[in-house]
Amino acid sequence: MEKTKLTLPQFQQMKEQNKKFRMVTAYDYTFASIVDRSPIEMILVGDSLAMTMLGYDSTVPVTMDDMIHHTKPVVRGAKNTFIVADMPFGSYNTGVNDAVRNANRIMQEGGADAIKLEGGANVADVVKALVSGGVPVMGHIGLTPQTATQLGGFKVQGKDAEAAKKLVEDALCLQEAGAFAIVLECVPSPVAQMITEKLSIPTVGIGAGPYCDAQVLVIHDLLGLFDRFTPKFVKKYAELNKPILEALNQYADEVADGSFPAPEQSFGMKEEELKRLY
Ligand code: KIV
């Protein structure tokens, strides 16, 4: 069956019908076009590209230009998948006007269908302004990597009753502000379940257990391409590092021993032309 891009009301309907949707990250044309051929309904051009594509240690150094640069090829590669792009650190913490200007750039220049930003009640005014300006917003609470230092590192959030209550309040606040969905990252499953049940909009879990309305994973983790570290919540559906390295080793050996390129990868020439040449 031909895949078609789902709309926001369709994602909402999936929650109401208890049907889960799926999201993975993508940061370039090739990966986006492969995701587009799968049943996965949503792509996140995540600022996790800081680590997977750019080799930084955190998401903080990623710029607006980086995000737009990576969103454009994803949009070209995945015409039938809903595309959300992250607002990078520094693009929405300097005031509502800057946030609106930067979100407009991601939509207009990048071509994303929606944006995602991190934070709860503290970003409600930004979310409200974006939504009323026509920008669909996905929230992101729990472990928020852009502010992981303030959270004491990359740790599970909402482990005690007070912290969990704050997450529930943040989620309700984002919903009230107009977010169409909320990522819950690294929160205990029962907390994610409570938030999912209390919200009328979908939750998208990563390290948040099985009760969310949708799941998201970083594609490099899922495919076993990124091995600097592997969070507990990642399931590797492949170990692609290995065949890639094997292929590169074989190529290196064959160039060194002269077996590549073979006649089938080479171009010949008519005998008489060769004679004339000599
Ligand atoms: O940037 C990213 O990949 C994300 C996911 C981890 C949700 O925000």
Side-chain angles (χ1 to χ4, degrees):
M1 206 176 67
E2 179 80 0
K3 180 176 171 183
T4 52
K5 188 188 287 209
L6 296 191
T7 61
L8 292 178
Q10 284 173 312
F11 287 115
Q12 182 60 38
Q13 202 177 29
M14 286 180 83
K15 168 153 185 140
E16 285 152 21
Q17 295 173 345
N18 230 352
K19 286 191 193 147
K20 290 186 192 280
F21 60 88
R22 292 72 50 105
M23 186 187 214
V24 288
T25 62
Y27 320 102
D28 66 9
Y29 175 83
T30 303
F31 273 90
S33 55
I34 296 172
V35 177
D36 208 42
R37 280 178 261 147
S38 81
I40 291 168
E41 293 90 351
M42 219 183 245
I43 286 179
L44 173 65
V45 187
D47 60 356
S48 51
L49 65 83
M51 284 76 98
T52 55
M53 304 301 287
L54 304 178
Y56 293 125
D57 290 330
S58 85
T59 55
V60 173
V62 172
T63 64
M64 277 296 299
D65 287 344
D66 290 332
M67 289 311 303
I68 289 166
H69 177 78
H70 285 275
T71 302
K72 283 179 177 176
V74 171
V75 170
R76 287 194 288 267
K79 302 218 182 309
N80 300 310
T81 311
F82 192 92
I83 296 167
V84 182
D86 262 336
M87 296 277 283
F89 181 80
S91 67
Y92 56 98
N93 62 357
T94 52
V96 168
N97 288 347
D98 282 350
V100 172
R101 190 173 319 111
N102 285 323
N104 287 347
R105 280 194 67 198
I106 292 187
M107 304 281 290
Q108 257 184 336
E109 296 174 44
D113 297 304
I115 64 93
K116 173 167 84 59
L117 49 75
E118 297 181 5
N122 60 319
V123 294
D125 56 341
V126 170
V127 173
K128 241 183 229 162
L130 293 180
V131 173
S132 70
V135 178
V137 177
M138 177 178 268
H140 183 159
I141 58 172
L143 172 56
T144 44
Q146 292 175 6
T147 46
T149 309
Q150 281 182 328
L151 302 175
F154 288 81
K155 290 180 178 163
V156 179
Q157 301 296 308
K159 281 169 78 171
D160 60 52
E162 287 76 31
K165 189 160 175 277
K166 171 80 172 71
L167 285 178
V168 176
E169 285 162 6
D170 278 338
L172 287 167
C173 210
L174 289 171
Q175 173 172 278
E176 174 70 26
F180 73 87
I182 303 178
V183 168
L184 307 178
E185 179 164 355
C186 271
V187 304
S189 305
V191 177
Q193 181 177 16
M194 177 183 271
I195 295 173
T196 302
E197 284 168 4
K198 278 189 183 288
L199 292 186
S200 56
I201 56 171
T203 57
V204 183
I206 176 162
Y211 304 108
C212 295
D213 300 301
Q215 294 290 327
V216 56
L217 277 178
V218 168
I219 199 162
H220 287 63
D221 289 337
L222 183 164
L223 297 177
L225 282 170
F226 183 79
D227 52 13
R228 252 169 62 199
F229 55 87
T230 306
K232 172 183 158 70
F233 57 75
V234 167
K235 178 168 176 184
K236 289 189 185 181
Y237 287 84
E239 290 276 2
L240 292 191
N241 263 347
K242 284 183 193 156
I244 291 174
L245 189 57
E246 274 164 26
L248 293 175
N249 286 340
Q250 193 179 344
Y251 165 69
D253 288 349
E254 290 187 8
V255 171
D257 70 16
S259 58
F260 176 83
E264 59 269 32
Q265 290 104 23
S266 307
F267 302 98
M269 195 176 174
K270 281 189 180 145
E271 199 61 37
E272 72 246 37
E273 292 303 323
L274 192 57
K275 268 195 201 133
R276 273 180 1 100
L277 173 65
Y278 275 101

